[in-house]
Amino acid sequence: MVKTHLIILTLLVPFLALAQGKAPAKPQDTEIYQPVPPVVKPAKEHQAPSDAVVLFDGKNLDAWVSTKDNKPAPWKINKDGSFTVKPGSGNIMTQQKFGDVQLHIEWRSPKKIKGDGQNRGNSGIFLQRKYEVQVLDNNNNDTYVNGQVGSIYKQSVPLAKASVETGEWNAYDIIYRAPEFDSNGKKLKPATITVLHNGILVQDHYEIKGTTEYIGPPKNIAHGKDAIELQDHGSGVSYRNIWVRELN
Ligand code: MG
């Protein structure tokens, strides 16, 4: 009996809508067909998606230069398709400048443990040369939590420590939105960053306060597109499979 009433009611709804002068709602009313998103072929293992800018494919450091003198990056390329920081040689940066990006980068702490705290397997990835996602061998090696692996250095403590064993490969997947400034250099919108460390969310759309500073508070200096920079902190950290997708 209840079922019969329901069927009658369902059949009546369109007529009631018509009686009120409204066309009855259809499923199609809320379907969208334009614009069509682009087709992107996902990355095969240790490769990049079809629309990515490959920053290191295992062969050469052509996409990178030394931050000291803009000359070819002096870090060491390894037979296994990775490269390693050459301690004391200084940071390297991409030749290409970027704004909003999705960045994939894999890194490995030296297997041979040396130093402690911030001096063990320290490196870092600077977005737009200013905002560091910390790279550190934090395994059995505590330090200040806003400087541990996966932190936005001296600004944001990661939500988890998701490192693999020392000497094995880690992956960071970073979604970064650049800050916006007006013509007077006043910040209109902070940069935001989301970081997955080995697939684990460690930074969740964090609003970056300003530049990464070792001493003192972050600074805000207006800037446009800029390079991705890797840090030489005196540790033989290795990198491989680096690619970026420009957003916008
Ligand atoms: Mg660092």
Side-chain angles (χ1 to χ4, degrees):
M1 204 51 186
V2 174
K3 217 173 179 182
T4 317
H5 280 137
L6 263 176
I7 291 166
I8 291 167
L9 200 65
T10 310
L11 291 170
L12 270 175
V13 165
F15 293 106
L16 288 171
L18 272 179
Q20 288 175 331
K22 280 192 283 184
K26 300 191 295 288
Q28 289 81 356
D29 295 344
T30 45
E31 293 170 3
I32 294 169
Y33 290 87
Q34 294 289 338
V36 180
V39 175
V40 179
K41 280 198 183 136
K44 290 189 181 133
E45 210 185 355
H46 307 308
Q47 285 178 28
S50 59
D51 64 347
V53 176
V54 176
L55 295 174
F56 181 67
D57 66 358
K59 294 183 187 91
N60 62 66
L61 282 168
D62 290 359
W64 302 80
V65 290
S66 164
T67 58
K68 277 186 186 167
D69 52 15
N70 269 301
K71 287 188 176 154
W75 294 7
K76 186 178 166 273
I77 300 204
N78 307 310
K79 285 193 186 109
D80 67 356
S82 66
F83 65 89
T84 302
V85 176
K86 187 179 171 192
S89 69
N91 294 1
I92 65 170
M93 63 179 175
T94 56
Q95 303 218 52
Q96 191 171 338
K97 295 179 176 182
F98 299 98
D100 299 350
V101 291
Q102 174 186 351
L103 170 66
H104 175 88
I105 186 162
E106 297 174 23
W107 59 271
R108 180 180 64 189
S109 309
K111 191 151 194 143
K112 197 175 168 211
I113 289 168
K114 209 174 114 187
D116 56 13
Q118 292 286 318
N119 291 318
R120 184 182 297 176
N122 192 335
S123 183
I125 300 142
F126 286 80
L127 281 310
Q128 300 196 301
R129 303 196 65 195
K130 287 161 191 71
Y131 315 110
E132 183 187 11
V133 181
Q134 177 70 306
V135 167
L136 193 72
D137 180 2
N138 237 154
N139 295 328
N140 304 310
N141 180 38
D142 290 339
T143 184
Y144 42 95
V145 293
N146 61 346
Q148 76 170 59
V149 66
S151 65
I152 305 306
Y153 186 75
K154 291 264 179 103
Q155 288 190 42
S156 179
V157 179
L159 299 169
K161 182 157 81 176
S163 301
V164 294
E165 295 296 315
T166 300
E168 291 179 10
W169 285 101
N170 288 268
Y172 277 163
D173 285 284
I174 297 171
I175 296 151
Y176 171 78
R177 296 279 181 184
E180 289 173 18
F181 301 89
D182 70 13
S183 54
N184 298 316
K186 189 174 168 262
K187 189 160 79 175
L188 300 174
K189 213 172 133 191
T192 59
I193 191 161
T194 296
V195 181
L196 298 165
H197 182 187
N198 297 322
I200 310 296
L201 183 67
V202 295
Q203 298 291 341
D204 184 8
H205 200 71
Y206 173 69
E207 289 189 359
I208 296 174
K209 294 189 183 89
T211 54
T212 295
E213 300 294 334
Y214 180 46
I215 299 168
K219 295 188 178 88
N220 278 286
I221 304 150
H223 63 89
K225 285 187 171 189
D226 213 336
I228 294 165
E229 182 170 330
L230 300 180
Q231 184 185 42
D232 167 15
H233 197 283
S235 305
V237 173
S238 301
Y239 289 94
R240 74 175 183 191
N241 192 23
I242 309 172
W243 52 259
V244 73
R245 293 182 64 239
E246 297 190 87
L247 306 177
N248 296 327

